[in-house]
Structure formats: structure tokens, C-alpha cells
């Protein structure tokens, strides 16, 4: 299994995050909310995309849904024009 890619929220564009996920890597994103730091893991099993948060596991049926989640949750750069 490839080594996970560890980044901070806003460090990469959506395309770079998606490329890593689709290459079989888990992307572990460090998020800070209300002065608390936590990690979210994004992954793809070949048919379903997953966002594993400390409180919930989100499933996305296709790339479009996953990209929308990445943007909505602020995981990618703000300047991301994707």
C-alpha cells in the first residue's frame, strides 16, 4: 500500500488531491476548526470515494461528488477554480 499523502487543508488544489486518491493513496488532511485540530482521510477503493472524518464516514458515488465535497469542506486551495 502506498504511503499516505499528509497535507494541511488548503495546501493543494482539488486536481492534485484527486490524482493522489485515484493513484491509490490515502490523503490525510489536517483541519483546524474552533481551535481544535483533527484529521480527515480521503480515499478511493476503485468504485466508491470516501471521506473519513472523526465523526462520520461520507461516501461519494462518483468523482464529481467527491470534487464537490473537497471544495465545500475547504480541503483544497481557495483559489481552486475546479
Amino acid at each position: 500500500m502506498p504511503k499516505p499523502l499528509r497535507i494541511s487543508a488548503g495546501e493543494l488544489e482539488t486536481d492534485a488531491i484527486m490524482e493522489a486518491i485515484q493513484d491509490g493513496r490515502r490523503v490525510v488532511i489536517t483541519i483546524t476548526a474552533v481551535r481544535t485540530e483533527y484529521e480527515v482521510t480521503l480515499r478511493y477503493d476503485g468504485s466508491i470515494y470516501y471521506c473519513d472524518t472523526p465523526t462520520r464516514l461520507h461516501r461519494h458515488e462518483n468523482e464529481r461528488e467527491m470534487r464537490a465535497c473537497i471544495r465545500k469542506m475547504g480541503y483544497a486551495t481557495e483559489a481552486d477554480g475546479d
Side-chain angles (χ1 to χ4, degrees), residues 5-20 25 27-29 70 74-80:
L5 173 61
R6 294 187 168 275
I7 61 172
S8 295
E11 189 174 333
L12 294 177
E13 294 182 358
T14 301
D15 286 343
I17 294 171
M18 289 300 298
E19 183 178 322
R25 294 182 76 184
V27 177
V28 180
I29 303 173
I70 290 169
Y75 300 150
T77 60
E78 289 187 29
D80 193 13

Side-chain angles (χ1 to χ4, degrees), residues 1-81:
M1 175 181 271
K3 187 175 179 178
L5 173 61
R6 294 187 168 275
I7 61 172
S8 295
E11 189 174 333
L12 294 177
E13 294 182 358
T14 301
D15 286 343
I17 294 171
M18 289 300 298
E19 183 178 322
I21 294 168
Q22 291 169 337
D23 283 346
R25 294 182 76 184
R26 290 174 185 251
V27 177
V28 180
I29 303 173
T30 301
I31 309 289
T32 302
V34 193
R35 298 186 299 195
T36 301
E37 195 172 272
Y38 64 95
E39 292 182 339
V40 172
T41 301
L42 308 180
R43 59 190 170 89
Y44 179 57
D45 71 4
S47 61
I48 302 291
Y49 293 90
Y50 297 93
C51 297
D52 189 3
T53 73
T55 59
R56 188 169 171 213
L57 175 63
H58 300 260
R59 293 171 44 119
H60 302 287
E61 301 295 324
N62 58 52
E63 182 177 343
R64 180 184 49 78
E65 289 178 9
M66 185 63 163
R67 285 177 174 276
C69 179
I70 290 169
R71 285 190 304 271
K72 177 183 174 188
M73 300 307 294
Y75 300 150
T77 60
E78 289 187 29
D80 193 13

